Amino acid sequence: MLDTLRIDESLARPAPEPENFIGRVRMQNLAAAGGTSELELLAVFFDANARTRPHVHPTDQVLYFLAGTGFVAFPGQPEQLIEEGGIVIVPAGLLHMHGATEAGPVLHLALRAPGATDWNPSLPAEWQHYAR
């Protein structure tokens, strides 16, 4: 019989590689808890105004916002507010960042095929202040 997984913030741990995040971010690795390495499925808890740094994935990524209002940003565009229940598909190879607004915390699921994330991509001028 398969176990049913539940999102539980008390099981979330600080983000690995904390230098790739701004503010307090915790993750619950649901794929690992389910015993698979064939996909990456993370419940990501962002405190108000916390975010990822700009990055690129080699595979498409699905972001499903479960609680709160968050954002997804792409170079040259204003941050797109994503309300609870919103789903964003970020195409492979597209520079982006995501997280919580200053209004409050957000929880999203992040789903993608495994692959190394590029946390040091070339950044446009307007995003240079996010460089490590």
Side-chain angles (χ1 to χ4, degrees), residues 4-128:
T4 300
L5 301 174
R6 301 233 183 263
I7 296 172
D8 181 346
E9 190 169 3
S10 72
L11 299 176
R13 299 293 169 250
E17 302 173 341
E19 66 275 11
N20 296 324
F21 299 87
I22 297 168
R24 185 170 176 248
V25 178
R26 286 114 27 243
M27 297 180 180
Q28 181 185 2
N29 190 333
L30 298 165
T36 184
S37 60
E38 297 297 313
L39 57 89
E40 182 180 278
L41 179 60
L42 302 168
V44 187
F45 300 86
F46 294 87
D47 282 1
N49 222 28
R51 62 179 56 216
T52 66
R53 292 196 183 277
H55 59 284
V56 176
H57 300 293
T59 59
D60 294 347
Q61 181 182 46
V62 177
L63 302 173
Y64 177 30
F65 288 77
L66 295 170
T69 298
F71 76 90
V72 177
F74 304 99
Q77 299 178 19
E79 291 182 355
Q80 299 174 34
L81 292 181
I82 312 297
E83 294 184 2
E84 188 172 304
I87 298 170
V88 176
I89 299 174
V90 180
L94 185 60
L95 181 65
H96 68 289
M97 61 182 163
H98 42 96
T101 67
E102 62 186 25
V106 74
L107 161 63
H108 72 46
L109 285 178
L111 172 66
R112 68 183 186 98
T117 297
D118 180 0
W119 289 103
N120 294 300
S122 187
L123 298 179
E126 72 266 20
W127 280 15
Q128 285 300 314

